[in-house]
Amino acid sequence: MITGTIFKIKKYALHDGPGIRTTVFFKGCPLRCAWCHNPEGIDPRPQAMSRRSSAGESQTTMGRVIGVDEMVREIEKDQLFYDESGGGATFSGGEPLAQPDFLETLLAACNEREIRTALDTSGYAPEAVVDRLLPRIDLVLFDLKQVDDAAHRRWTGVSNRIILDNFRRVAQSTTPMRIRLPLVADVNDGETHIDGVARLADTVSRLDGIDLLPFHAIGAEKYRRLGLASQMQSLAAPTEERLAEIQTRLQSIGCPVTIGG
């Protein structure tokens, strides 16, 4: 039986694709983004996480192994809401492409049930995995961290060459794409990155839009609870003025640009 490891199921999600959705967060990610607000999604294994309550601090397990059948039953519970709102299932993370067999089986099950699918991904995966899964996906939410390879290595721990190759694969396909830009002041809100994003966006055959996602430190406490070091205290969101400038620049290529997911 095919199983996967997840750390969260979010019902009635409204920001992970169109309509009302169920978002499944896969555990495990090959990137180490300095601004990651879901650090519990990095390690591919279930892990201990402290939890505070009125009785004091205790330990809980973050992440669980789940079978495909159980996961599909959970997704299809809300099929009526998907049908009425134009929603569906979104697979996020972590990095869903890091569990390709589990993801492919879930996508196939959704396809059979006419549940529309979205993939929220960094694009860091073998090209063969992308080619194999793309025909089963109705919308790709592609997170672009940094177009400069050296800067990408510095802030995420990996090269962006595979990512950009996969971006081009999706861009040239018939699958719609929505670009998501996590924006951190003095990290990836400069002209070089934004101009690079504009050039990439202009190559997408079916661009649904661009989402600007300003940095927030909501997940900072999770690092302490997981016993992990964090860089979040040294990071900040771009100013509202800068966000407006970025929005205007990207709108110039003729696509809708929203601030927030």
Side-chain angles (χ1 to χ4, degrees):
M1 181 178 67
I2 294 177
T3 62
T5 307
I6 65 171
F7 68 92
K8 184 179 179 181
I9 301 172
K10 184 179 180 181
K11 295 283 195 170
Y12 313 113
L14 299 175
H15 301 291
D16 299 325
I20 296 171
R21 313 191 71 82
T22 294
T23 302
V24 182
F25 292 84
F26 284 47
K27 206 167 184 323
C29 183
L31 276 62
R32 297 294 183 270
C33 302
W35 53 85
C36 180
H37 63 278
N38 283 329
E40 71 273 34
I42 297 174
D43 193 315
R45 304 160 298 179
Q47 63 192 130
M49 188 174 188
S50 65
R51 178 174 59 185
R52 285 178 177 167
S53 68
S54 57
E57 195 160 284
S58 60
Q59 293 286 313
T60 188
T61 300
M62 184 55 63
R64 64 183 174 114
V65 176
I66 187 170
V68 168
D69 290 345
E70 181 183 352
M71 189 68 260
V72 171
R73 285 195 298 271
E74 194 64 36
I75 290 171
E76 64 183 355
K77 284 179 182 178
D78 296 313
Q79 186 157 4
L80 178 62
F81 295 108
Y82 312 148
D83 293 343
E84 291 185 350
S85 68
T90 298
F91 302 105
S92 186
E95 175 50 68
L97 294 178
Q99 299 184 57
D101 294 339
F102 181 55
L103 177 58
E104 182 176 34
T105 309
L106 289 176
L107 289 168
C110 288
N111 296 160
E112 290 170 5
R113 291 160 177 79
E114 297 185 346
I115 296 173
R116 295 185 65 80
T117 60
L119 173 69
D120 186 3
T121 180
S122 70
Y124 193 89
E127 293 178 356
V129 168
V130 175
D131 288 342
R132 171 179 146 198
L133 300 181
L134 196 56
R136 295 195 176 276
I137 299 165
D138 295 304
L139 174 67
V140 175
L141 306 173
F142 207 113
D143 300 320
L144 281 177
K145 322 292 187 181
Q146 174 58 260
V147 296
D148 178 77
D149 188 59
H152 199 279
R153 288 174 184 270
R154 176 184 175 188
W155 293 105
T156 74
V158 301
S159 170
N160 68 2
R161 292 177 184 173
I162 291 174
I163 290 169
L164 295 181
D165 284 345
N166 282 326
F167 181 94
R168 296 182 185 101
R169 301 177 89 77
V170 179
Q172 294 165 12
S173 76
T174 59
T175 302
M177 180 198 293
R178 192 168 188 93
I179 297 173
R180 290 187 156 186
L181 299 182
L183 293 173
V184 185
D186 302 320
V187 172
N188 56 10
D189 67 337
E191 296 299 331
T192 300
H193 176 57
I194 302 306
D195 286 347
V197 169
R199 287 192 296 272
L200 287 170
D202 206 31
T203 69
V204 181
S205 60
R206 297 186 65 185
L207 183 60
D208 189 60
I210 300 175
D211 295 320
L212 309 183
L213 307 176
F215 168 78
H216 60 73
I218 293 174
E221 174 65 9
K222 294 180 184 179
Y223 287 85
R224 184 199 67 79
R225 294 170 58 199
L226 289 164
L228 301 175
S230 170
Q231 301 181 55
M232 295 185 83
Q233 66 277 4
S234 63
L235 303 177
T239 64
E240 290 187 10
E241 179 183 12
R242 180 59 187 146
L243 286 171
E245 291 172 351
I246 294 171
Q247 184 179 35
T248 299
R249 168 68 182 93
L250 293 175
Q251 284 174 335
S252 69
I253 66 172
C255 75
V257 180
T258 62
I259 296 177

